[in-house]
């Protein structure tokens, strides 16, 4: 039974601790839009998105107003473009991205995800064409997001795709150089990608999903940070229990919004993603949570252990609050989107090597990392390979969203604005990985993938 103190606690979380529903994301299948005619494909894609998602924004806004719960973004994810674009050449894929962009703007959403390809084991001819089109597609659109899955525990790592993505990230950085290479902020390379993730830039609507569904991503780093601060002097068991209870409350809010949006829109309820997604706002930081546990700075010794405990407790508490937890679900550590992470990098406490270690126990990977604009394609590919290997060996999702900021070097900062924030340029190893990356082929799946 809900009592007055529960209501006031929730009001406090929203009013002072940045509790929000980060996104209500509608997943839409475009499999039935495939056609031998490019023009027919574009028309079907546009019509389906604008028909299915026409009431998404107004419905989310009515829920927000009725319940007093901030809903920051309204988004759409669609079937990976490479699965419906068999009739398209490179320019045709760019036009498909522009069609997605036009449909997204016409229904009023913040982002649309699904300019994507799943190439963890190999690439078809159309997938190669689609990958080649990514830089121009992102440079010529505003709200389209792209993702590529290059590895999985079951198949290993497709190093040919890793090599290509290093090149495509560099191309995207150059083509969007006037905006701080912002196109790279809309491009993420995965291993073990989930097919129901509501968060951008990695969202797409998987082939195992329903025709149309609602996935909700909740976020409350500020709420968890305050709960942790209230545990000063208590042992880790007490701390973990407190985080679990807090995650339960946060996820119940997401469950309410997801169920209500699903009912009002007349589509299936997909999942609640209970990830702690930070913002550049003060008091809305995963780094603050870790420092509230007793670390002087995020990145110092003990940070990985603190993050592992946080991630586990969030999953345990959240999974009790909803029968349909999915997506990524845990703690995000994007540098540019987290004020505490930015401060830790700027004071020298947090390096890219430490971030890589932290990705072995958090939800995703090296996220919103800005590096010097002259970083080589091979180095970017090697960073992707490192991160993919962590995911493949550990059976978890990992990803790289890296921005080689054109014209920037160590000591500089690149500004993106909004939820994307700003990122200090991080130092990389000066030594070459060229010969390693040039080998190509496929890194085999680990032995523990043989589970059948």
């Amino acid at each position: 039974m809900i009592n007055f103190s529960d209501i006031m606690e929730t009001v406090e979380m929203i009013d002072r601790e940045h509790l929000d529903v980060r996104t209500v994301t509608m997943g839409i299948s475009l499999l039935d839009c495939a056609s031998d005619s490019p023009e027919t494909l574009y028309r079907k894609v546009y019509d389906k998105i604008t028909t299915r998602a026409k009431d998404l924004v107004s419905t989310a806004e009515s829920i927000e107003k009725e319940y007093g719960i901030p809903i920051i973004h309204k988004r759409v994810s669609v079937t990976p473009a490479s699965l419906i674009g068999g009739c398209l050449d490179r320019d045709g894929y760019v036009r498909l991205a522009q069609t997605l962009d036009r449909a997204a703007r016409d229904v009023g959403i913040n982002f649309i995800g699904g300019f994507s390809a799943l190439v963890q084991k190999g690439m078809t001819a159309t997938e190669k064409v689609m990958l080649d089109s990514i830089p121009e597609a992102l440079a010529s659109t505003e709200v389209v997001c792209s993702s590529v899955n290059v590895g999985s525990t079951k198949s290993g790592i497709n190093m040919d795709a890793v090599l290509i993505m290093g090149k495509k990230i560099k191309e995207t950085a150059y083509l969007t150089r006037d905006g701080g290479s912002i196109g790279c902020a809309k491009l993420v390379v995965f291993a073990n990608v989930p097919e129901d993730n509501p968060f951008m830039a990695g969202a797409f609507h998987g082939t195992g999903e329903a025709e149309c569904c609602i996935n909700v991503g909740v976020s409350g780093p500020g709420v968890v940070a305050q709960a942790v601060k209230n545990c000063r002097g208590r042992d880790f068991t007490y701390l973990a229990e407190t985080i679990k209870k807090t995650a339960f409350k946060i996820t119940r809010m997401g469950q309410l919004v997801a169920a209500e949006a699903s009912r009002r829109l007349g589509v299936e309820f997909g999942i609640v993603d209970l990830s702690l997604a930070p913002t550049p706002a003060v008091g809305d930081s995963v780094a603050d949570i870790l420092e509230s546990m007793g670390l002087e700075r995020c990145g110092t010794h003990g940070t990985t252990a603190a993050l592992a405990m946080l991630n586990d407790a969030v999953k345990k508490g959240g999974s009790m609050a909803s029968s349909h937890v999915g997506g990524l679900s845990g703690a995000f550590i994007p540098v540019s989107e987290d004020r505490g992470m930015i401060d830790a990098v700027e004071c020298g406490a947090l390096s890219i090597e430490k971030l890589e270690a932290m990705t072995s126990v958090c939800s995703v990977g090296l996220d919103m990392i800005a590096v010097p604009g002259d970083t080589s394609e091979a180095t970017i590919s090697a960073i992707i390979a490192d991160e993919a290997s962590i995911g493949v060996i550990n059976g978890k999702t990992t990803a790289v969203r890296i921005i080689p900021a054109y014209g920037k070097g160590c000591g500089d900062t690149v500004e993106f604005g909004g939820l994307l924030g700003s990122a200090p340029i991080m130092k990389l190893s000066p030594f070459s990985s060229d010969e390693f990356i040039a080998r190509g082929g496929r890194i085999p799946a680990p032995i523990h993938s043989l589970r059948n």
Side-chain angles (χ1 to χ4, degrees):
M1 180 176 178
I2 298 175
N3 57 38
F4 180 75
S5 64
D6 291 330
I7 295 171
M8 292 309 297
E9 182 183 35
T10 303
V11 170
E12 180 84 1
M13 288 177 178
I14 292 170
D15 188 44
R16 297 188 181 183
E17 298 167 6
H18 304 282
L19 177 61
D20 60 57
V21 169
R22 185 57 46 84
T23 178
V24 173
T25 301
M26 175 179 280
I28 302 173
S29 173
L30 299 183
L31 290 173
D32 58 349
C33 296
S35 172
D36 291 335
S37 163
E39 295 302 325
T40 301
L41 171 64
Y42 305 143
R43 176 179 54 78
K44 285 184 172 182
V45 166
Y46 177 85
D47 288 348
K48 188 159 190 184
I49 293 170
T50 54
T51 299
R52 283 288 189 174
K54 63 182 175 64
D55 296 323
L56 175 61
V57 173
S58 60
T59 299
E61 288 176 345
S62 68
I63 294 171
E64 185 176 24
K65 184 176 180 180
E66 184 173 336
Y67 290 97
I69 298 171
I71 299 175
I72 308 303
H73 275 181
K74 297 83 181 175
R75 302 166 176 170
V76 166
S77 62
V78 298
T79 303
S82 67
L83 298 182
I84 62 169
C87 65
L88 302 177
D89 58 14
R90 183 183 181 280
D91 291 339
Y93 270 110
V94 173
R95 282 197 60 194
L96 177 58
Q98 293 167 347
T99 301
L100 295 174
D101 197 57
R102 181 164 60 94
R105 285 186 280 109
D106 287 350
V107 297
I109 58 175
N110 302 98
F111 289 105
I112 185 165
F115 197 70
S116 307
L118 309 178
V119 294
Q120 58 268 21
K121 196 171 183 180
M123 290 177 282
T124 64
T126 189
E127 285 166 339
K128 291 179 181 178
V129 173
M130 184 263 165
L131 296 187
D132 190 45
S133 74
I134 288 175
E136 188 176 346
L138 294 179
S140 63
T141 58
E142 294 181 11
V143 297
V144 171
C145 292
S146 180
S147 58
V148 179
N149 194 67
V150 298
S152 74
T153 299
K154 201 69 179 172
S155 64
I157 304 172
N158 182 350
M159 292 300 290
D160 293 326
V162 169
L163 176 63
I164 289 172
M165 290 314 299
K167 296 177 180 178
K168 296 306 157 188
I169 289 170
K170 283 284 288 187
E171 281 185 44
T172 303
Y174 178 76
L175 291 179
T176 59
R177 61 193 181 279
D178 292 339
S181 299
I182 196 169
C184 296
K186 300 186 293 176
L187 173 59
V188 57
V189 183
F190 276 104
N192 289 322
V193 68
E195 298 191 3
D196 55 4
N197 165 29
F199 287 100
M200 299 297 169
F204 67 89
H205 191 67
T207 56
E209 299 294 307
E211 175 73 13
C212 186
C213 67
I214 289 293
N215 299 319
V216 165
V218 296
S219 183
V223 178
V224 176
Q226 186 58 51
V228 171
K229 288 174 185 175
N230 293 337
C231 294
R232 282 197 173 95
R234 307 303 295 263
D235 67 15
F236 281 107
T237 301
Y238 185 91
L239 180 60
E241 287 299 312
T242 300
I243 295 171
K244 283 165 56 179
K245 292 173 183 176
T246 306
F248 178 88
K249 295 172 185 176
I250 293 170
T251 307
R252 288 303 286 175
M253 183 190 72
Q255 170 82 12
L256 168 66
V257 170
E260 192 62 19
S262 173
R263 183 185 67 80
R264 296 186 187 190
L265 290 165
V267 301
E268 290 193 30
F269 169 18
I271 58 94
V272 176
D273 186 318
L274 49 94
S275 295
L276 297 178
T279 71
V282 174
D284 197 26
S285 163
V286 170
D288 284 353
I289 300 173
L290 304 178
E291 291 172 4
S292 296
M293 292 182 187
L295 303 173
E296 183 178 2
R297 275 292 186 184
C298 177
T300 190
H301 306 294
T303 300
T304 305
L307 182 59
M309 193 207 70
L310 171 65
N311 213 50
D312 181 65
V314 166
K315 290 177 185 289
K316 286 174 178 173
S319 63
M320 290 296 293
S322 175
S323 296
H324 299 291
V325 170
L328 296 163
S329 290
F332 290 176
I333 52 171
V335 171
S336 80
E337 299 172 15
D338 188 311
R339 184 66 253 174
M341 294 286 178
I342 295 169
D343 291 344
V345 171
E346 289 179 339
C347 77
L350 186 60
S351 66
I352 195 165
E353 291 81 9
K354 185 60 176 181
L355 274 168
E356 185 178 293
M358 293 164 65
T359 64
S360 66
V361 298
C362 76
S363 289
V364 193
L366 293 173
D367 194 14
M368 289 301 291
I369 308 295
V371 297
D374 60 0
T375 302
S376 71
E377 297 169 356
T379 294
I380 293 172
S381 292
I383 291 170
I384 294 170
D386 280 344
E387 200 58 37
S389 69
I390 291 174
V392 167
I393 294 298
N394 291 290
K396 69 181 293 292
T397 300
T398 51
V400 172
R401 188 162 48 145
I402 190 169
I403 300 104
Y406 190 83
K408 300 279 188 179
C410 291
D412 294 331
T413 298
V414 58
E415 300 283 346
F416 300 115
L419 288 179
L420 295 177
S422 63
I425 306 299
M426 300 191 72
K427 182 181 179 181
L428 301 178
S429 171
F431 301 103
S432 171
S433 309
D434 294 34
E435 187 176 344
F436 174 76
I437 292 299
R439 287 178 179 272
R442 182 153 52 99
I443 294 178
I447 187 64
H448 57 257
S449 68
L450 301 176
R451 295 178 177 175
N452 289 338

